[in-house]
Amino acid sequence: MTGAVPGAAAKRLVLLSGRAHPRLADDVAKHLDVAVAPQSSYDFASGEIYVRVDESVRGCDAFVLQSHCGAVNDWLMEQLITVDALKRASARRITVVAPCYPYARQDKKHRGREPVSARLVADLFKTAGADRIMTVDLHAAQIQGFFDGPVDHLWALPLLAGHVRQKYGSERLTVVSPDSGRTKLAEKWAQALGGTPMAFVHKTRDPLRPNEVVANRVVGDVRGQLCVVIDDMIDTGGTIAEAVRRLLDAGARDVVVAATHGVLSGPAAERLAGCGAREVVLTDTMPIPDGKYFDALTVLSIAPLLAQAIQAVADDTSVTGLFDDGS
């Protein structure tokens, strides 16, 4: 038997947005040629969050986009409540779109009696009713295994490396990892930029003092090179700023910083603006407030990448085939 089943409704893509980063949702919606679904979301005086989807979602393919920035616990709870509302409204399939996965840095135990919070978040999404997770540049790839269902792990590397290649491709480049743990990512970057040399900054970190590192020395020859420092996330900016200074002290001609997620907590913007980098390139997986912008900052849109992946999932076609995952 061929053809459509009589009376069967066509699949319908519905995009919903939390309140953390509505501009990104609007940009994704434009690329998908849909409108963000109307919903009512607000906080009660007690701090509890209320969400109601203001149109029928029965039988739809729902995508719930939320950035987890600033008040990360509030935005995570809002996304969980939205997923629960969709499940109870009979959505056919629910995909959590978390451009920057919350609690991703707590992916393993460093000491006894610590949680594995990244796994807990995956369990929360599953319990709420999510069928699938879509995210960009996980802090550790193993987090994909925490969720009992499909995980679309997208890479911003082609977007960021394309910008660097177009702007600095004629110069002598060296890809630099800000620590030894990112050397595998640096290898992918070096390949994407045409086989450039690599280096890394040796650093130490005290697990009892979060967001504090000591950059000790540069491993590799960077003299006279334009160094491209790469990372998945910039939080307080201390690691990256110190790495830039170390590279310049080691004889680097100039330094460009490229990272996917710009958390930019506390003094991060001031540190990056004053560290001596020629350019700092981020994507807009997280909203960057006006007060955090500085002259050397460039922000690239992640919306086309998310829109292509969402459309592929909705059409039941390959997501892997759309994007170079660097493997």
Side-chain angles (χ1 to χ4, degrees):
M1 183 176 178
T2 60
V5 178
K11 288 191 298 182
R12 182 166 63 98
L13 187 160
V14 174
L15 177 66
L16 301 102
S17 171
R19 291 174 291 168
H21 197 357
R23 185 175 59 80
L24 177 59
D26 289 340
D27 290 344
V28 171
K30 289 176 184 176
H31 285 280
L32 291 170
D33 196 24
V34 300
V36 177
Q39 63 190 75
S40 303
S41 304
Y42 54 82
D43 299 333
F44 290 107
S46 64
E48 292 183 359
I49 296 171
Y50 173 85
V51 174
R52 180 182 186 272
V53 182
D54 293 332
E55 68 177 25
S56 174
V57 292
R58 182 177 297 275
C60 78
D61 206 349
F63 296 83
V64 185
L65 193 158
Q66 179 78 297
S67 290
H68 298 92
C69 54
V72 59
N73 297 324
D74 290 344
W75 302 138
L76 174 58
M77 194 67 199
E78 182 181 73
Q79 192 171 29
L80 291 167
I81 291 171
T82 305
V83 170
D84 184 76
L86 291 166
K87 177 182 68 175
R88 297 177 190 281
S90 302
R92 182 179 66 88
R93 179 171 60 183
I94 304 169
T95 300
V96 163
V97 183
C100 186
Y101 189 91
Y103 287 89
R105 286 174 285 183
Q106 297 185 40
D107 62 302
K108 57 182 174 293
K109 291 177 64 174
H110 295 279
R111 299 183 299 152
R113 299 181 299 282
E114 285 187 340
V116 182
S117 302
R119 170 60 192 264
L120 173 61
V121 168
D123 290 343
L124 290 170
F125 282 138
K126 190 67 177 180
T127 300
D131 301 293
R132 191 180 195 107
I133 292 178
M134 183 179 295
T135 189
V136 183
D137 284 356
L138 285 168
H139 186 68
Q142 71 194 43
I143 295 173
Q144 295 175 81
F146 293 171
F147 184 75
D148 187 18
V151 176
D152 299 304
H153 185 201
L154 311 180
W155 290 80
L157 189 155
L159 174 66
L160 292 165
H163 173 85
V164 172
R165 188 168 53 244
Q166 181 180 17
K167 195 166 182 179
Y168 304 106
S170 61
E171 304 191 38
R172 291 189 303 165
L173 303 177
T174 294
V175 174
V176 180
S177 170
D179 57 60
S180 58
R182 293 285 159 202
T183 52
K184 197 167 185 180
L185 177 61
E187 289 174 358
K188 296 175 182 178
W189 264 87
Q191 183 180 4
L193 294 176
T196 66
M198 291 177 15
F200 74 90
V201 178
H202 181 268
K203 74 175 185 182
T204 57
R205 183 191 296 273
D206 184 347
L208 299 179
R209 303 178 69 181
N211 299 119
E212 290 189 24
V213 298
V214 177
N216 295 315
R217 60 191 177 91
V218 176
V219 179
D221 185 10
V222 299
R223 188 168 298 280
Q225 297 289 102
L226 172 61
C227 292
V228 182
V229 180
I230 52 91
D231 212 344
D232 65 318
M233 176 185 297
I234 300 178
D235 189 353
T236 61
T239 299
I240 293 294
E242 185 61 24
V244 171
R245 284 190 284 267
R246 289 286 178 176
L247 290 166
L248 293 173
D249 290 344
R253 181 170 50 81
D254 226 332
V255 181
V256 172
V257 175
T260 304
H261 309 297
V263 183
L264 303 186
S265 302
E270 292 80 4
R271 287 174 174 172
L272 294 172
C275 71
R278 184 197 295 190
E279 184 179 21
V280 177
V281 188
L282 303 172
T283 76
D284 61 349
T285 57
M286 292 186 167
I288 298 176
D290 291 340
K292 298 286 186 179
Y293 276 85
F294 51 94
D295 291 341
L297 179 63
T298 298
V299 180
L300 306 179
S301 175
I302 203 72
L305 177 69
L306 293 175
Q308 283 184 280
I310 288 171
Q311 191 66 65
V313 171
D315 293 340
D316 293 320
T317 58
S318 172
V319 176
T320 304
L322 285 175
F323 311 108
D324 176 15
D325 66 359
S327 62

